[in-house]
Amino acid sequence: MEILLREIREQPEVLVGSAEGLVGQTDALALAATWCSDVEHPLVLTGMGSSLDACQAAASLLGRLGRPAVAVNTAELVHFRLPSLLPGSCVIAVSQSGRSAELVRLGGSLREVDDVRLVAITNGPDNALAGLADLAVDMNAGPEAGPATKTFTATLVALTGLVELLAAPERALPILQRTVSRATAAAQQATALLSDAEGLAARVEDWVGRRDHLVLVGRGVGRASAEVGALLLKEASKTAAECLDAAEFRHGPLELAGPSLAAVVVSLEPTTLELDRRLLRDLDARSSATLAVGLPDPLGVGPRLVVDPVHPLLDVALASLPLQLLAWSRTGGTGGDAFVVGAKVTTEE
C-alpha cells in the first residue's frame, strides 16, 4: 500500500500508543510540568512546520487556561529572540526527527544561556535535540517515511498530557491515564472516519473541487488543523493552498470569495461557532465551494465533517485527517514524489 495513505490510516493506533507511551515517562513529564508551571515567565513553545502548528494549538489552549504561553518558529527564536528568554524560562521544543537544523542550533545556543530549561519532544530518544535538552520526551509515533501525519498526531498527544499536567504535576500518573482514555476515544472516532478512507478522500475532493484558489482557515486550536492541511497539500500534492486565521481572512482575503474559491473552515471552538457559521454563509452566498470540519452545527450550511469533541488538542488531530486525505487524493491516489526539492528532515537552514 502506498506510504502516505498507509500512514494516515495508522493514526488510530498512534493515538493510543503515543498516550500509553507517556505513562511510561510519568516522572519525566511531571518534572517537565513543574519546570513549565512558573507563571511569572511565558512558556515558550517552538518548532518548525507541522511541529510549530501543534505548538500554536497548545499555546492557544494554555492561554485560555490562564497560563501565559507563546508559540514561535524556531528560526525566529534562535536568530532574533533569544535575549527575551529570562532566567527561569522554560522552552518546549518539538522536532519529530530531532535533527531539524534550527532545532539543533537552538539546543546548542541554549547551552550558553543561564537558567533556561529546554524540554524536547521528539519521535524517539536517539537524536541531536534530545541529547542537547535538559529533559526529553518520546512521542512514540513509530517509524514514519512520508510527510508528517503520524508524528503530528503523536505530538498533539504528548502536548495534551503536558498541558494537563501543568495544573497538577503532583498527580501525574492519574492525569496521564486520563490522557490514555481520551486518546482511546479519539482513536475510535479516527477508526470510524478512516473506515472508508478512499471514499472519504473522494467526497472531500468532490466538495472542494478544482477551484483556482484553495484556502483553509480556522480559529483557536482549529488553526493548527488548517495549517497542517495546507502544508501537506503543498508538500505531498504540490497544491498551492493557503492557510489563514479565520478572522484574518475577513481582513482583505475575503475579496477572493466567488466561484473560483474553495474554502475549508475548521471549526473546533464552541465560543466562535457562530462566527464560523457566518463566514460559511457569506462564502456560500458568493458561490464559493465550502467544507466545514469540526463541531456539530445543525444550523450550518454546506457539507460538514463532524468531530465529536474529546480534548481540544486531540480534536485537532481528528480534524486533520480529512485534510490529509485530500492531499493524498490530489496525488492521484499514488502519494506522488513527496520530496522533490527538499527532504523529510530539513537539515540545512
Side-chain angles (χ1 to χ4, degrees):
M1 190 183 300
E2 183 272 321
I3 289 172
L4 179 57
L5 180 59
R6 184 181 71 236
E7 292 182 343
I8 292 172
R9 282 176 158 164
E10 289 173 353
Q11 287 174 84
E13 292 79 14
V14 170
L15 281 159
V16 177
S18 181
E20 291 177 341
L22 297 181
V23 175
Q25 303 173 83
T26 297
D27 291 343
L29 283 160
L31 179 58
T34 300
W35 290 348
C36 297
S37 60
D38 180 5
V39 296
E40 293 184 2
H41 302 88
L43 178 59
V44 178
L45 299 101
T46 188
M48 301 294 291
S50 62
S51 296
L52 177 62
D53 300 335
C55 287
Q56 288 173 332
S60 177
L61 179 58
L62 285 165
R64 74 194 69 179
L65 296 175
R67 176 63 174 96
V70 60
V72 57
N73 87 60
T74 311
E76 173 74 16
L77 177 61
V78 74
H79 288 295
F80 308 117
R81 299 199 195 181
L82 280 184
S84 70
L85 299 177
L86 303 176
S89 297
C90 185
V91 177
I92 298 176
V94 180
S95 173
Q96 293 138 4
S97 70
R99 297 186 288 119
S100 295
E102 296 86 355
L103 276 298
V104 175
R105 181 189 288 270
L106 175 66
S109 297
L110 289 183
R111 288 292 182 96
E112 309 300 322
V113 179
D114 292 335
D115 198 24
V116 173
R117 292 189 172 102
L118 175 63
V119 176
I121 299 177
T122 62
N123 188 26
D126 299 324
N127 56 74
L129 179 60
L132 291 166
D134 296 293
L135 188 151
V137 175
D138 184 358
M139 68 175 68
N140 283 296
E144 182 180 70
T149 53
K150 294 165 57 176
T151 50
F152 178 67
T153 289
T155 297
L156 291 165
V157 174
L159 289 173
T160 297
L162 190 53
V163 167
E164 293 295 310
L165 282 175
L166 291 182
E170 70 282 358
R171 297 185 61 249
L173 183 56
I175 288 174
L176 292 176
Q177 289 172 334
R178 184 174 62 188
T179 299
V180 173
S181 297
R182 287 169 166 167
T184 300
Q188 291 170 349
Q189 276 199 68
T191 298
L193 196 64
L194 296 171
S195 61
D196 180 15
E198 293 95 332
L200 177 57
R203 292 198 303 276
V204 174
E205 180 67 82
D206 183 60
W207 288 329
V208 172
R210 292 282 179 168
R211 307 294 180 103
D212 293 337
H213 308 295
L214 175 58
V215 64
L216 298 87
V217 303
R219 293 174 184 264
V221 297
R223 172 75 183 270
S225 299
E227 285 281 6
V228 82
L231 175 60
L232 194 61
L233 279 159
K234 287 176 276 199
E235 189 175 29
S237 68
K238 314 303 184 280
T239 299
E242 183 177 10
C243 178
L244 289 168
D245 180 275
E248 290 287 351
F249 181 71
R250 284 195 176 274
H251 289 255
L254 186 60
E255 294 300 318
L256 290 170
S260 64
L261 176 69
V264 177
V265 178
V266 181
S267 181
L268 295 177
E269 300 287 5
T271 58
T272 53
L273 189 59
E274 170 58 30
L275 298 178
D276 294 335
R277 185 186 300 142
R278 192 181 305 163
L279 177 59
L280 286 162
R281 286 174 176 167
D282 289 348
L283 291 169
D284 184 68
R286 291 168 174 80
S287 300
S288 299
T290 62
L291 169 63
V293 181
L295 302 178
D297 182 14
L299 301 178
V301 298
R304 188 178 197 90
L305 291 171
V306 172
V307 173
D308 290 320
V310 177
H311 180 279
L313 298 183
L314 301 180
D315 298 344
V316 170
L318 292 171
S320 302
L321 296 176
L323 309 181
Q324 295 171 10
L325 289 173
L326 175 62
W328 170 77
S329 174
R330 291 199 167 195
T331 68
T334 66
D337 297 319
F339 309 107
V340 176
V341 180
K344 178 170 177 56
V345 180
T346 302
T347 56
E348 294 188 11
E349 292 189 72

